[in-house]
Amino acid sequence: MARITLRQLLDHAAEHAYGVPAFNINNMEQGLAIMDAAAAVDAPVIIQASRGARSYANDLMLAKMIDALEEMHPQIPLCLHQDHGNEESTCATALQHGFTSVMMDGSLKADAKTAASYDYNVDITRRVVDMAHWIGASVEGELGVLGSLEHGGGEQEDGHGVEGEVSHDQLLTDPDQAVDFVRATRVDALAIAMGTSHGAYKFSRKPDGDILAMRVVEEIHRRLPNTHLVMHGSSSVPQPLQDAFNAFGGEMPQTWGVPVEEIVRGIRHGVRKVNIDTDCRLAMTAAFRKVAVQSRNEFDPRKFLKPAMDALRDLCRERFEQFGTAGHASQIKVIPLAEMAKRYRSGALDPRMGGMADAAE
């Protein structure tokens, strides 16, 4: 049994000062490539599914696929995570299908488009925490609205993302509020807003501190040194992948993602989970385009999918190595959900505020 909770995995990452990439999946090929990369470098894995992915693949198919991946790689701790849950039922049904971790994104209302109030966020996140912790599962919350500091709006992906213009303050997580939020909700991990966004078109230029506010990460970590932070929208959109995509008929405008060196900087300041989706999609579709152009008579889907899986595997392996995840899978002895539930009930896993948070009390 290699299924692990997010909390146990991120506790280990914090103890050993590394970060864990969280890769979104929709299908078998993505799962196989990610787990092959993890096995090659002895890395624990976070595989996550959005509501869109669950609708596309069907919950039953996803659940059986993860069971198979777990059986194929019993030595790799695997966290199955619900990405951007929009309401309690989304999180509850994920837990019913074997997810060991859920994200309750209370920064938006249930329509996943409208910015929510702080009180709404606290209330719904706390309810999901209570539900998940009863069975030993983990919860990630979000404070602040994911979106661009350049143009003041969000990007929609898989039906999720704020619509319309939002204020600059909403796009940056308030460190004081973060302390209160963690204390009130008892979340296991906190996603924060600092200028990243969904999709490929994150920045119109290489980001600096004005549009990628890593200072917010550092300040929240200073106040909450024991809280696991999460960076969403953190694909790097590498130039070689953009070039490969466009070389074979793609029309992707020049864009910039989150530089790997900035993610590594975040890992030094409490970031333990790094969400990556666009890079994975781009690696695979660039490979599809290459086959379609170079082998115009090819009609066997496997001849498209195998190179795409290889490209995704190589990308995932690179991120495992860059974030320091490699080499840690064999160090982890998975704690079952039932035992995690006992630890939650005993208070052993309650937030340890520490640092500036304690000083403020």
Side-chain angles (χ1 to χ4, degrees):
M1 177 66 178
R3 197 78 59 97
I4 192 171
T5 63
L6 184 70
R7 176 59 183 272
Q8 186 193 357
L9 178 51
L10 299 191
D11 280 351
H12 189 272
E15 181 182 355
H16 297 276
Y18 65 92
V20 187
F23 300 114
N24 286 70
I25 69 165
N26 303 277
N27 57 46
M28 176 190 77
E29 287 79 11
Q30 291 169 313
L32 290 171
I34 292 165
M35 294 304 290
D36 283 350
V41 296
D42 187 39
V45 170
I46 301 171
I47 286 179
Q48 54 188 25
S50 66
R51 288 182 300 124
R54 291 175 61 188
S55 175
Y56 172 82
N58 187 286
D59 278 339
L60 185 59
M61 179 62 73
L62 277 175
K64 297 298 185 183
M65 184 174 67
I66 296 298
D67 286 345
L69 293 173
E70 183 181 4
E71 189 172 343
M72 292 167 68
H73 298 280
Q75 80 282 15
I76 300 296
L78 189 165
C79 173
L80 179 59
H81 179 75
Q82 164 69 59
D83 192 22
H84 286 291
N86 64 317
E87 57 187 355
E88 294 103 316
S89 62
T90 303
C91 297
T93 54
L95 296 173
Q96 287 178 320
H97 285 93
F99 286 65
T100 53
S101 176
V102 295
M103 180 192 186
M104 180 59 237
D105 184 358
S107 71
L108 302 179
K109 294 183 179 180
D111 64 6
K113 299 175 182 178
T114 307
S117 70
Y118 176 71
D119 289 342
Y120 171 93
N121 193 354
V122 168
D123 183 56
I124 194 168
T125 303
R126 182 169 52 211
R127 293 202 302 270
V128 171
V129 167
D130 289 343
M131 172 182 66
H133 284 183
W134 271 113
I135 65 168
S138 310
V139 179
E140 173 188 337
E142 179 167 320
L143 185 61
V145 177
L146 197 69
S148 169
L149 293 172
E150 281 193 279
H151 58 72
E155 297 290 340
Q156 286 71 49
E157 188 167 67
D158 279 354
H160 189 100
V162 68
E163 287 189 349
E165 190 167 327
V166 291
S167 71
H168 191 273
D169 288 345
Q170 287 176 292
L171 295 170
L172 292 173
T173 302
D174 178 80
D176 289 331
Q177 208 171 56
V179 172
D180 183 72
F181 185 83
V182 170
R183 184 183 287 119
T185 62
R186 297 183 298 117
V187 288
D188 298 289
L190 179 65
I192 58 178
M194 84 293 282
T196 59
S197 58
H198 290 137
Y201 308 105
K202 304 178 189 302
F203 306 107
S204 65
R205 56 184 170 86
K206 184 175 180 180
D208 56 21
D210 290 335
I211 56 176
L212 180 61
M214 297 302 296
R215 64 186 182 278
V216 172
V217 176
E218 294 171 356
E219 181 59 23
I220 292 174
H221 179 57
R222 188 170 73 91
R223 295 171 188 242
L224 292 168
N226 300 309
T227 296
H228 305 313
L229 304 182
V230 181
M231 286 178 63
H232 279 243
S234 291
S235 283
S236 299
V237 200
Q239 191 64 49
L241 286 183
Q242 292 184 55
D243 293 343
F245 182 86
N246 287 335
F248 297 100
E251 296 182 356
M252 175 176 281
Q254 180 63 54
T255 185
W256 280 264
V258 182
V260 169
E261 60 267 25
E262 294 295 335
I263 298 172
V264 172
R265 173 184 172 186
I267 291 169
R268 292 198 299 268
H269 293 91
V271 171
R272 298 296 162 224
K273 176 174 176 278
V274 182
N275 284 19
I276 298 171
D277 189 9
T278 293
D279 286 354
C280 300
R281 297 182 183 192
L282 189 55
M284 295 190 80
T285 53
F288 294 156
R289 287 187 174 277
K290 183 177 181 180
V291 174
V293 170
Q294 292 187 338
S295 303
R296 296 177 68 87
N297 63 343
E298 186 56 69
F299 61 90
D300 184 345
R302 294 171 296 180
K303 297 296 177 65
F304 291 81
L305 289 165
K306 184 58 170 68
M309 290 168 63
D310 292 343
L312 178 56
R313 180 201 62 216
D314 293 346
L315 171 74
C316 294
R317 177 171 180 161
E318 184 175 48
R319 294 294 181 268
F320 285 133
E321 292 171 339
Q322 290 167 327
F323 299 169
T325 328
H328 289 287
S330 56
Q331 300 174 357
I332 299 172
K333 183 178 179 181
V334 173
I335 300 170
L337 280 172
E339 176 58 30
M340 291 296 290
K342 290 179 183 177
R343 296 184 186 191
Y344 282 122
R345 285 196 293 272
S346 74
L349 298 178
D350 284 351
R352 294 181 297 114
M353 307 308 287
M356 293 289 293
D358 282 346
E361 291 184 336

